[in-house]
Amino acid sequence: MSGRLNGKTALVTGATSNIGRAIAIAFAAEGATVAVSGRDRIRGEKVIAEINGAGGRAVFVPAELDGSFETARRLVAEATEALGADIDVLVNNAGIFPGSTTADTDEATFDQVYAVNVKTPFFLTGIIAPRMAERGSGAIINLGSWIARLGIPVAALYASTKGAMETLTRMWAAEYGPSGVRVNAISPGSVSEDTSNAPGNAMMRGTPANVSGTPDQIANAAVYLASDESAFVHGVVIDVDGGRTTTAVIAG
């Protein structure tokens, strides 16, 4: 790797599996010191071992994200202490997807999904972004989703939270961008660690990619948005979805 994130610190939520894990590993490979956050300590320690074994630097910070300000404050405090420095890059990745229809969604599920997917990143950003602004630099990366813009039958609740995150990306870019804090988002398509037999491949038919993407491909976009290479990029949502939301390929 080229050391594109040398000297930077990062907090990645939901970093013990899938996209979050790939982002944490990619950040560390590029020289960042990473706070890997998640609920499962065993999985978290495996990610830490993988990063440290490859010569990177990472620490595990457990967190049960419940949408409360106090939980967000505690996570920031513990991550900052473990990193030994202020946070340069925040990745709001943690999220839950119940996959229920609108009529079948009860109030408790609704509240939980919004707590994890929207309230937690809202409060984390509210705590971390002002500190970044005081230093005059920082990057915040939110995770959106292709289904925030291309409707499917069973995803109304989840899609609405990702639509909220894409809107907040633009709002935060306006709020903190003038102080040197870049806020952007990634909108992944169907993603699987095994693309040869991924359930999401059916959704990718008729797209340029014609197959699901991998967590590493999402992580590549995150590295770009975290690095100084994206210094002139503010308030955008990068679609890393194989063309799912933009292009239809018609077979001849």
Side-chain angles (χ1 to χ4, degrees), residues 31 42 93 132 171 173 175 200 205 245 247:
I42 294 176
N93 168 73
M132 291 178 172
M171 300 302 290
E175 186 172 356
R205 292 173 188 156
T245 56
T247 310

Side-chain angles (χ1 to χ4, degrees), residues 122-133:
F122 188 95
F123 289 131
L124 286 175
T125 299
I127 295 166
I128 293 173
R131 300 181 187 180
M132 291 178 172

Side-chain angles (χ1 to χ4, degrees), residues 1 7 12 51 150 153 155 168 185 195 206-208 212 221 234 248:
M1 293 292 183
V12 183
I51 290 173
L150 184 66
L168 286 170
T195 60
T207 69
S212 294
H234 290 264

Side-chain angles (χ1 to χ4, degrees), residues 70-164:
E70 176 55 28
T71 296
R73 185 205 63 77
R74 186 167 58 250
L75 173 56
V76 173
E78 292 177 358
T80 301
E81 181 179 3
L83 290 167
D86 285 330
I87 296 164
D88 297 313
V89 182
L90 167 64
V91 181
N92 286 313
N93 168 73
I96 53 177
F97 185 174
S100 55
T101 65
T102 300
D104 290 336
T105 300
D106 58 35
E107 187 173 3
T109 300
F110 185 99
D111 290 344
Q112 182 187 21
V113 174
Y114 262 84
V116 176
N117 295 11
V118 181
K119 287 182 68 179
T120 289
F122 188 95
F123 289 131
L124 286 175
T125 299
I127 295 166
I128 293 173
R131 300 181 187 180
M132 291 178 172
E134 289 177 1
R135 302 194 305 272
S137 67
I140 296 172
I141 303 168
N142 299 318
L143 270 292
S145 173
W146 64 278
I147 60 173
R149 274 164 289 143
L150 184 66
I152 64 174
V154 186
L157 177 57
Y158 178 80
S160 71
T161 66
K162 291 305 181 179

Side-chain angles (χ1 to χ4, degrees), residues 46-69:
K46 288 181 179 179
V47 178
I48 299 304
E50 183 174 355
I51 290 173
N52 293 341
R57 298 180 303 277
V59 294
F60 178 62
V61 183
E64 184 75 38
L65 303 178
D66 59 5
S68 70
F69 176 83

Side-chain angles (χ1 to χ4, degrees), residues 188-207:
S190 175
V191 172
S192 176
E193 293 182 351
D194 178 12
T195 60
S196 64
N197 194 31
N201 284 352
M203 294 183 180
M204 295 302 294
R205 292 173 188 156
T207 69

